[in-house]
């Protein structure tokens, strides 16, 4: 694996970004040991502390996480992410090893998820509350992370539909087969595009995540 960790969680630097890959499955397969949840959480704490230090963040201002099961989603199923207090977001019973508070504390910018066979972009969100950078430019200097669920590349289970009711933190929902392109342009701009295979490569979502505070 990239970085200095060979296992279920690891991180590496890519240009002006620090990217962290971790396992959400440790929260759901406790038969393999709760110690995996604790070990990963402690590793995440240490990695985020280093990544958010002034020395590291001046060189790599973007912190991006990626894992399988989302914290938030509006799909029409019974998956964890449809729950108000999803396990990935709020942790094990009693709030143990909660990831949303940890990522918010250390200023994670972008959280990339899968599992749901669809594409969903959220507004900047923390604790189910939207925190836009401004009404006119919601993704410029947002005070909370941006979540992207990109699981629409396809599998034999086909696509997952969305629940008819809208949630305030959900910005865009697309049920096409497709894939996401993420271009870390520089220290202040990340370009995110969703490409639809069902529409012959049409770009069906296109945003810039901007962090230009000095």
């Amino acid at each position: 694996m990239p970085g200095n960790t060979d296992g279920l969680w690891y991180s590496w630097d890519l240009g002006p970004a620090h990217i962290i890959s971790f396992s959400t499955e440790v929260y759901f397969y406790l038969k393999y040991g709760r110690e995996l949840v604790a070990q990963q959480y402690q590793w995440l704490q240490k990695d985020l502390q280093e990544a958010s230090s002034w020395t590291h963040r001046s060189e790599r201002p973007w912190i991006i996480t990626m894992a399988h099961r989302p914290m938030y989603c509006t799909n029409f199923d019974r998956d964890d992410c449809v729950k108000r207090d999803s396990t990935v977001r709020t942790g094990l019973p009693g709030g143990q090893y909660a990831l949303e508070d940890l990522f918010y504390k250390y200023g994670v910018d972008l959280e990339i998820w899968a599992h749901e066979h669809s594409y969903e972009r959220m507004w900047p969100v923390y604790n189910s509350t939207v925190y836009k950078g401004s009404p006119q430019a919601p993704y410029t200097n947002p005070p909370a992370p941006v979540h992207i669920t990109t699981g629409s590349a396809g599998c034999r289970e086909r696509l997952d539909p969305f629940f008819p009711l809208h949630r305030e933190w959900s910005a865009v929902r697309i049920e096409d087969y497709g894939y996401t392109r993420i271009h870390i342009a520089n220290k202040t701009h990340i370009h995110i595009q969703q490409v639809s295979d069902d529409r012959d490569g049409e770009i069906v979502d296109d945003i810039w995540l901007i962090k230009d505070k000095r």
Side-chain angles (χ1 to χ4, degrees):
M1 297 300 180
N4 299 318
T5 303
D6 188 12
L8 295 175
W9 44 86
Y10 52 92
S11 65
W12 74 99
D13 297 326
L14 179 65
H18 181 71
I19 303 174
I20 301 169
S21 177
F22 67 97
S23 172
T24 54
E25 304 313 283
V26 297
Y27 286 84
F28 298 92
Y29 293 91
L30 297 176
K31 64 183 180 181
Y32 296 113
R34 293 173 67 97
E35 63 271 16
L36 281 175
V37 185
Q39 289 169 11
Q40 175 176 258
Y41 189 85
Q42 291 161 5
W43 179 86
L44 282 168
Q45 280 184 310
K46 184 176 183 295
D47 192 81
L48 285 165
Q49 285 171 355
E50 294 176 358
S52 62
S53 68
W54 185 88
T55 302
H56 283 79
R57 203 127 206 193
S58 61
E59 290 298 316
R60 296 176 182 88
W62 298 108
I63 299 179
I64 301 171
T65 64
M66 63 181 195
H68 185 64
R69 300 184 193 228
M71 290 187 189
Y72 298 91
C73 72
T74 60
N75 293 89
F76 197 18
D77 54 37
R78 297 182 179 180
D79 287 345
D80 179 66
C81 53
V82 304
K83 300 174 183 175
R84 173 64 175 80
D85 294 320
S86 64
T87 299
V88 175
R89 191 171 74 80
T90 62
L92 298 181
Q96 285 187 304
Y97 313 117
L99 292 175
E100 185 174 43
D101 286 347
L102 181 68
F103 292 170
Y104 182 75
K105 175 182 177 181
Y106 289 106
V108 170
D109 300 289
L110 178 62
E111 301 182 27
I112 303 168
W113 312 96
H115 192 63
E116 303 300 324
H117 300 158
S118 54
Y119 171 84
E120 187 166 17
R121 167 168 56 84
M122 321 302 169
W123 298 115
V125 60
Y126 169 67
N127 195 27
S128 300
T129 303
V130 174
Y131 292 95
K132 298 179 182 180
S134 69
Q136 298 77 24
Y139 295 101
T140 298
N141 301 318
V146 174
H147 295 246
I148 301 282
T149 298
T150 172
S152 62
C155 80
R156 63 184 180 182
E157 297 173 1
R158 305 191 66 80
L159 296 168
D160 289 334
F162 289 105
F163 193 73
L165 295 180
H166 181 262
R167 298 298 296 272
E168 62 277 5
W169 35 259
S170 179
V172 170
R173 309 191 299 181
I174 297 170
E175 293 183 44
D176 295 356
Y177 284 114
Y179 60 93
T180 305
R181 292 195 296 230
I182 299 176
H183 177 212
I184 306 167
N186 50 43
K187 290 184 176 182
T188 59
H189 289 67
I190 291 180
H191 193 197
I192 302 169
Q193 294 178 312
Q194 179 67 8
V195 181
S196 171
D197 287 336
D198 288 340
R199 307 186 208 182
D200 298 322
E202 179 184 344
I203 296 172
V204 289
D205 192 33
D206 191 327
I207 68 159
W208 286 89
L209 179 56
I210 300 172
K211 180 162 56 175
D212 60 6
K213 287 183 178 178
R214 296 294 184 262

